[in-house]
């Protein structure tokens, strides 16, 4: 890895971050490093928002796309009227844990001490305003707000890059918070843009070093970047970065490693690496060894499910005659809040990946001559794994109504369900990967997969989450191949 000026001078690049130390010494303008871990974030909002709005604009002679539900909730009426305040408060109201509605708030990397009365750092204000405005613009179809979102995003990107050029500003929590928040904006673009942004966020986390864990805010931010990096690696077929694994090891020295949430995060990195090995294995590793590793991970995830059941269980309900586009087979599950939905679904995603890997490994093993008793055992386990996969997919689908804000949490006394017409602005962001993983599962029935396809298309067309449309193309191909 060398900086962009290195090929044009005799002095070798010293690979310091965020800029080459030789460039600083010679006062040369350094644009950073040119590998995939580039810390300079690109401003692509103009093209991406324009494409999104053009796609969603009604063509001549056509009506606009039908909305499955009425509109997104507006911020509380006592908030300010400026676009900055509108965007920031919409972001906080829809994305940050602690909202009164159980269908909102699944991000927790912004510390609790940033409250409505606090003075936010300008870099964080611009980031949150950009996300809030673009989400509100997409869900309420207001192109004018999209213009303000574009302006705030440009401002935020510029401030991020200025901060990254400063040795003191680049390691501040507010800088990393802004970078992570802006990752949500890339959902209006495509996977490539989002993945590039996630890799940049991971590079920033690594650049902050081991000392970053001296502050409490570092842990939820690290968890968020780690989760995003897992998704990027699994989708693109890469192992989890070794330098992030080293930081994970350092973080484990400062927290309770027995908690279900931390064990889930470390299991995710192991699942990512196992999936990478299984995908590329051509007899370098015995299938029996990989099956053993997958079984250990499956047992670990099953343990996490048990802890979640005791600490944050959910209620399964049915609503006869309900909207089939919301509640599939009339089922919906009710959780305490969206954070619980996220943790449960992340665990299900990993279990689906491990179970699919187990099925693949066993099918490879069954293709050779086996002792009859071993063959029978594998065939029985295949059936058992297929049942587990089917249940996991249905459980993910049953989280959709609450994630959309159609239902609220069960009350403490009567476990009643309040029906609402509001849609959470964060629903598509929270559910896209879960539904994608369930939809491409090897045992998913075509009818159920088609329901998932329609929901992801809703997220793309009606909420402006373009990446959902890109993900759904993979599921469509799988569904067509299964016919």
């Amino acid at each position: 890895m060398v900086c962009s000026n290195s090929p044009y001078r005799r002095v070798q690049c010293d690979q310091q971050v965020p800029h080459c130390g030789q460039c600083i010494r010679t006062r040369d303008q350094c644009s950073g490093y040119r590998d995939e871990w580039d810390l300079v974030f690109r401003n692509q909002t103009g093209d991406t928002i324009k494409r999104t709005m053009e796609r969603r604009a009604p063509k001549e002679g056509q009506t606009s796309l039908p909305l499955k539900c009425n509109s997104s909730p507006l911020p509380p009426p006592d908030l300010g009227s400026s676009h900055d305040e509108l965007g920031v408060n919409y972001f906080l109201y829809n994305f940050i844990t602690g909202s009164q509605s159980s269908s909102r708030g699944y991000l927790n990397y912004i510390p609790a001490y940033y409250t409505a009365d606090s003075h936010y750092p300008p870099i964080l204000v611009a980031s949150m305003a950009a996300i809030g405005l673009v989400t509100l613009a997409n869900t309420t179809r207001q192109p004018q707000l999209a213009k303000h979102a574009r302006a705030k995003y440009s401002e935020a990107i510029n401030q991020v890059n200025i901060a990254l050029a400063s040795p003191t500003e680049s390691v501040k929590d507010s800088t990393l918070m802004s970078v992570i928040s802006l990752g949500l904006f890339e959902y209006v673009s495509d996977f490539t843009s989002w993945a590039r942004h996630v890799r940049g966020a991971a590079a920033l986390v690594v650049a902050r070093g081991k000392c970053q864990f001296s502050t409490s805010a570092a842990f939820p931010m690290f968890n968020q970047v780690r989760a995003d990096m897992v998704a990027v690696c699994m989708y693109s077929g890469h192992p989890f970065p070794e330098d992030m694994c080293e930081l994970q090891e350092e973080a484990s020295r400062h927290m309770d490693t027995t908690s279900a949430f931390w064990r889930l995060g470390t299991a995710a990195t192991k699942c990512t690496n196992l999936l990478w090995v299984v995908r590329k294995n051509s007899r370098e590793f015995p299938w029996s060894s990989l099956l053993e590793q997958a079984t250990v991970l499956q047992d670990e995830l099953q343990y996490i499910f048990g802890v979640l059941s005791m600490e944050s269980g959910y209620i399964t309900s049915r609503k006869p005659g309900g909207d089939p586009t919301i509640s599939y087979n009339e089922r919906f599950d009710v959780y305490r809040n969206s954070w619980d939905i996220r943790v449960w679904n992340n665990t299900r995603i990993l279990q689906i990946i491990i179970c699919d890997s187990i099925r693949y490994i066993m099918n490879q093993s069954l293709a050779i001559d086996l002792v009859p008793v071993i063959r029978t055992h594998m065939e029985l386990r295949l059936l058992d794994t297929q049942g587990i996969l089917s249940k996991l997919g249905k459980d993910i689908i049953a989280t959709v109504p609450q994630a959309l804000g159609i239902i609220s949490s069960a009350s403490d006394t009567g476990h009643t369900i309040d029906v609402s017409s509001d849609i959470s602005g964060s629903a598509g962001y929270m559910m896209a990967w879960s539904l994608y993983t369930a939809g491409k599962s090897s045992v998913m029935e075509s009818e159920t997969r088609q329901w998932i396809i329609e929901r992801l298309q809703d997220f793309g067309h009606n909420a402006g989450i373009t990446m959902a449309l890109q993900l759904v193309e993979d599921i469509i191909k799988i569904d067509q191949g299964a016919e």
Side-chain angles (χ1 to χ4, degrees):
M1 180 177 72
V2 296
C3 74
S4 57
N5 293 330
S6 183
Y8 306 104
R9 62 184 178 206
R10 296 180 180 179
V11 181
Q12 186 176 2
C13 175
D14 60 9
Q15 301 183 10
Q16 291 188 29
V17 292
H19 296 296
C20 168
Q22 301 294 353
C23 291
I24 296 175
R25 184 181 61 82
T26 59
R27 297 184 179 180
D28 290 332
Q29 183 175 359
C30 180
S31 60
Y33 302 100
R34 296 183 297 174
D35 72 343
E36 65 178 358
W37 295 97
D38 193 353
L39 285 175
V40 177
F41 292 86
R42 302 179 183 180
N43 184 352
Q44 298 176 309
T45 179
D47 292 336
T48 56
I49 286 187
K50 182 179 179 181
R51 289 197 303 268
T52 300
M53 299 309 295
E54 287 176 348
R55 257 196 316 272
R56 299 178 64 237
K59 296 180 181 180
E60 185 178 355
Q62 294 180 343
T63 58
S64 60
L65 290 166
L67 286 172
K68 297 298 182 184
C69 301
N70 293 340
S71 64
S72 289
L74 293 175
D78 57 336
L79 300 178
S81 58
S82 74
H83 286 105
D84 276 9
E85 290 178 292
L86 179 65
V88 168
N89 283 289
Y90 190 85
F91 175 84
L92 295 175
Y93 185 65
N94 282 277
F95 287 94
I96 303 303
T97 301
S99 172
Q100 292 181 352
S101 171
S102 64
S103 66
R104 303 183 182 94
Y106 70 99
L107 300 177
N108 71 343
Y109 55 81
I110 294 182
Y113 55 80
Y114 282 122
T115 64
D117 297 325
S118 300
H119 294 288
Y120 295 96
I123 188 172
L124 191 56
V125 169
S127 302
M128 292 190 295
I131 305 306
L133 288 173
V134 76
T135 305
L136 185 59
N138 284 334
T139 54
T140 60
R141 298 175 180 274
Q142 298 185 57
Q144 189 62 30
L145 283 181
K147 294 180 181 179
H148 291 289
R150 180 166 61 248
K152 295 310 297 183
Y153 181 79
S154 298
E155 177 186 331
I157 286 292
N158 290 335
Q159 291 190 22
V160 164
N161 286 327
I162 291 173
L164 291 176
S166 167
T168 56
E169 294 295 322
S170 62
V171 297
K172 285 186 176 181
D173 289 343
S174 58
T175 300
L176 181 56
M177 287 180 205
S178 300
V179 169
I180 298 173
S181 299
L182 289 172
L184 294 174
F185 202 101
E186 298 300 340
Y187 270 75
V188 305
S189 183
D190 54 23
F191 176 82
T192 301
S193 299
W194 179 71
R196 184 187 300 116
H197 191 97
V198 170
R199 292 188 180 103
L204 179 55
V205 168
V206 172
R208 282 159 54 94
K210 296 180 178 181
C211 62
Q212 67 186 287
F213 297 112
S214 60
T215 67
S216 59
F219 296 98
M221 290 193 293
F222 175 79
N223 291 336
Q224 180 66 43
V225 175
R226 178 177 59 178
D228 289 343
M229 198 67 211
V230 164
V232 168
C233 290
M234 285 186 172
Y235 185 89
S236 56
H238 293 116
F240 194 77
E242 184 60 34
D243 47 13
M244 285 288 287
C245 287
E246 293 175 1
L247 277 182
Q248 178 177 263
E249 181 65 25
E250 177 63 26
S252 69
R253 299 188 178 97
H254 304 273
M255 64 183 309
D256 178 14
T257 57
T258 64
S259 70
F261 183 73
W262 181 255
R263 292 179 69 157
L264 177 62
T266 55
T269 61
K270 294 175 182 177
C271 288
T272 303
N273 289 334
L274 177 64
L275 180 63
W276 176 68
V277 173
V278 169
R279 280 174 171 172
K280 73 179 188 65
N281 188 42
S282 56
R283 300 186 182 279
E284 294 95 342
F285 302 95
W287 290 116
S288 58
S289 173
L290 295 179
L291 180 59
E292 182 178 354
Q293 294 179 46
T295 302
V296 170
L297 282 171
Q298 186 181 36
D299 291 342
E300 171 70 2
L301 293 170
Q302 198 59 44
Y303 171 83
I304 293 172
F305 274 129
V307 175
L308 292 177
S309 296
M310 291 187 294
E311 295 181 350
S312 55
Y314 59 91
I315 300 170
T316 295
S317 303
R318 294 193 179 275
K319 184 177 178 60
D323 186 348
T325 66
I326 301 299
S327 299
Y328 185 71
N329 284 343
E330 301 181 338
R331 173 187 167 184
F332 58 88
D333 292 347
V334 186
Y335 297 74
R336 292 183 305 181
N337 49 50
S338 284
W339 176 254
D340 283 356
I341 294 177
R342 187 188 186 205
V343 175
W344 273 94
N345 278 351
N346 282 353
T347 310
R348 289 169 180 138
I349 287 173
L350 296 180
Q351 189 73 294
I352 287 174
I353 289 168
I354 289 299
C355 285
D356 269 333
S357 297
I358 287 174
R359 292 186 80 243
Y360 178 81
I361 292 170
M362 288 194 293
N363 282 324
Q364 294 296 315
S365 300
L366 288 169
I368 61 176
D369 291 333
L370 294 173
V371 177
V373 65
I374 296 179
R375 177 175 293 274
T376 300
H377 173 74
M378 281 197 174
E379 290 173 346
L380 289 174
R381 187 172 178 185
L382 269 176
L383 290 174
D384 181 60
T385 303
Q386 181 171 328
I388 294 173
L389 281 168
S390 179
K391 180 181 184 303
L392 290 167
K394 293 174 182 176
D395 289 345
I396 286 177
I397 289 172
T399 65
V400 170
Q402 185 174 355
L404 291 177
I406 304 305
I407 62 171
S408 64
S409 63
S411 67
D412 294 333
T413 55
H415 301 295
T416 57
I417 305 300
D418 296 325
V419 179
S420 169
S421 61
D422 287 340
I423 280 188
S424 166
S426 63
Y429 297 96
M430 181 173 69
M431 291 302 302
W433 280 103
S434 300
L435 288 176
Y436 168 72
T437 305
K440 70 185 191 67
S441 173
S442 58
V443 304
M444 182 60 66
E445 298 175 352
S446 181
E447 179 184 348
T448 310
R449 186 179 283 128
Q450 187 59 44
W451 186 90
I452 291 175
I453 289 172
E454 291 172 359
R455 298 294 73 70
L456 287 172
Q457 288 173 336
D458 282 345
F459 293 155
H461 294 308
N462 296 331
I465 302 176
T466 308
M467 197 165 75
L469 298 177
Q470 183 177 2
L471 294 175
V472 82
E473 289 301 317
D474 288 348
I475 305 179
I476 292 174
K477 291 177 182 177
I478 292 173
D479 192 57
Q480 292 173 341
E483 294 178 354

